[in-house]
């Protein structure tokens, strides 16, 4: 088995015991895809029908407001990325996903994921446990955005993205935090 497959299987193994049949089905359904820096993984004008497990690289999920890109979150190695509402409900939504670096992924189509859920009950457990951590992260983000100062937002950002914040452009960081670049520069200078 190529080493790339090991990282995605290790990810699943953090949440569930992978049986041989499930492991085989996963390997049969995952496809390797590479995206260049600046390339879109998902366009808001389309329904998201793929989820991407990032082997190497960095993505940004964002939306447009009055022509301005607003960064919502960032995903990197050993994380899945998709446009959740579009992926689950099969409708268009507001999110674009682009690559901030050359990004290597494994892709899983929504129909293949449905097959895995229907035929392997442990996949339901995987979804519940992995989505629980995503939900926790989103609740922290909401609380940070609503109830903290710019400095506290920045400190929270550094904690949440501690392994990758230095790879995220400053303008995108400011957009994520909901502050100006000059405020971000001042906060960084205080560190």
């Amino acid at each position: 088995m190529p080493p790339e497959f090991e990282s995605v299987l290790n990810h699943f193994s953090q949440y569930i015991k992978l049986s041989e049949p499930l492991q085989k089905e996963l390997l049969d359904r995952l496809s390797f895809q590479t995206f260049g820096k600046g390339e879109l993984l998902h366009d808001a004008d389309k329904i998201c029908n793929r989820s991407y497990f990032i082997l190497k690289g960095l993505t940004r999920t964002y939306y447009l407001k009055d022509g301005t890109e607003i960064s919502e979150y960032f995903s990197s190695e050993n994380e899945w990325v998709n446009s959740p509402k579009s992926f689950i409900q099969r409708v268009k939504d507001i999110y674009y996903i682009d690559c901030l670096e050359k990004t290597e992924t494994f892709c899983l189509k929504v129909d293949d994921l449905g097959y895995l859920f229907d035929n392997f009950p442990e996949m339901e457990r995987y979804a519940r446990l992995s989505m629980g951590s995503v939900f926790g992260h989103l609740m922290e983000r909401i609380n940070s955005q609503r109830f903290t100062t710019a400095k506290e937002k920045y400190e929270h950002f550094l904690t949440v993205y501690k392994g990758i914040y230095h790879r995220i452009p400053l303008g995108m960081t400011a957009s994520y935090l909901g502050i100006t670049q000059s405020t971000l520069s001042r906060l960084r200078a205080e560190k």
Side-chain angles (χ1 to χ4, degrees):
M1 171 188 342
E4 296 85 19
F5 281 111
E6 286 184 35
S7 56
V8 73
L9 294 179
N10 287 339
H11 169 78
F12 279 102
S13 295
Q14 292 174 359
Y15 299 96
I16 59 173
K17 184 174 177 13
L18 280 175
S19 64
E20 288 285 327
L22 174 53
Q23 187 172 317
K24 181 189 178 314
E25 289 294 339
L26 277 168
L27 296 178
D28 286 349
R29 293 172 191 289
L30 290 166
S31 62
F32 182 78
Q33 279 189 275
T34 300
F35 298 89
K37 180 179 179 177
E39 193 172 345
L40 280 180
L41 253 82
H42 174 67
D43 186 327
D45 292 330
K46 298 181 178 157
I47 293 173
C48 183
N49 58 16
R50 290 178 167 80
S51 191
Y52 299 91
F53 182 79
I54 302 171
L55 294 167
K56 183 178 180 186
L58 178 63
T59 68
R60 170 184 62 141
T61 301
Y62 69 97
Y63 63 95
L64 297 174
K65 181 172 180 162
D66 301 325
T68 301
E69 295 178 359
I70 308 295
S71 299
E72 193 67 25
Y73 60 91
F74 305 93
S75 304
S76 64
E77 290 81 7
N78 298 312
E79 293 180 315
W80 288 96
V81 65
N82 61 47
S83 183
K85 179 180 177 182
S86 181
F87 186 73
I88 292 166
Q89 296 179 4
R90 297 194 185 188
V91 297
K92 293 179 186 177
D93 68 6
I94 63 172
Y95 292 109
Y96 296 85
I97 303 169
D98 66 354
C99 296
L100 303 183
E101 304 171 349
K102 178 181 175 187
T103 302
E104 297 175 359
T105 70
F106 275 118
C107 168
L108 188 60
K109 294 178 183 172
V110 70
D111 292 338
D112 286 330
L113 185 59
Y115 172 85
L116 294 170
F117 283 149
D118 290 345
N119 292 282
F120 297 93
E122 59 267 45
M123 285 296 292
E124 298 262 342
R125 176 177 168 78
Y126 165 78
R128 183 172 41 83
L129 293 174
S130 64
M131 289 311 296
S133 63
V134 170
F135 181 72
H137 170 71
L138 292 175
M139 291 307 297
E140 280 183 26
R141 171 145 166 71
I142 290 167
N143 286 334
S144 174
Q145 288 296 103
R146 292 178 66 198
F147 304 116
T148 61
T149 65
K151 183 177 181 179
E152 291 168 331
K153 284 180 177 83
Y154 182 58
E155 288 170 352
H156 183 260
F157 171 81
L158 294 177
T159 300
V160 169
Y161 293 110
K162 67 180 170 217
I164 63 168
Y165 69 83
H166 60 282
R167 294 161 54 190
I168 300 170
L170 292 182
M172 292 177 188
T173 299
S175 168
Y176 172 86
L177 296 172
I179 61 176
T180 65
Q181 274 193 262
S182 59
T183 299
L184 177 58
S185 294
R186 181 178 50 77
L187 292 171
R188 291 180 73 226
E190 292 173 6
K191 280 286 182 191

